[in-house]
Amino acid sequence: MTIQAINVRNQFRGKIKAILLGQIVSEIDVETAAGIVTSVITTRSVKDLNLEIGTEVVALVKATEVSLAKL
C-alpha cells in the first residue's frame, strides 16, 4: 500500500529526532516543518520498521476528536 492510498489528510513529513523505547510501547518524536509530532506506537513496530534517529518518516494524524481550550 502506498502512502497516497491511505485516507489520512493530515500528513507531516519529517525525521525522527528521539526514540524512548519501552517494553510494550515506545514514544517517537518526529521533527517536522510544523514542529515536533510525538507518536506512541508498539515497540514491535519500531523494530519491524527499523526506526532510528534520523530516519525520514511521514506522521499520519487521524483523529475522531480534537479538543480545544480557550487561552
Side-chain angles (χ1 to χ4, degrees), residues 17-70:
K17 182 176 181 177
I19 299 174
L20 180 59
L21 287 177
Q23 273 193 314
I24 306 298
V25 295
S26 296
E27 291 183 25
I28 311 294
D29 287 344
V30 179
E31 187 167 21
T32 73
I36 299 292
V37 175
T38 300
S39 176
V40 177
I41 64 173
T42 64
T43 300
R44 177 182 286 177
S45 292
V46 174
K47 294 175 183 176
D48 288 349
L49 293 169
N50 294 320
L51 298 179
E52 52 190 39
I53 293 174
T55 301
E56 290 188 29
V57 296
V58 175
L60 305 168
V61 180
K62 186 170 185 175
T64 57
E65 179 181 329
V66 176
S67 300
L68 298 176
K70 186 175 178 183

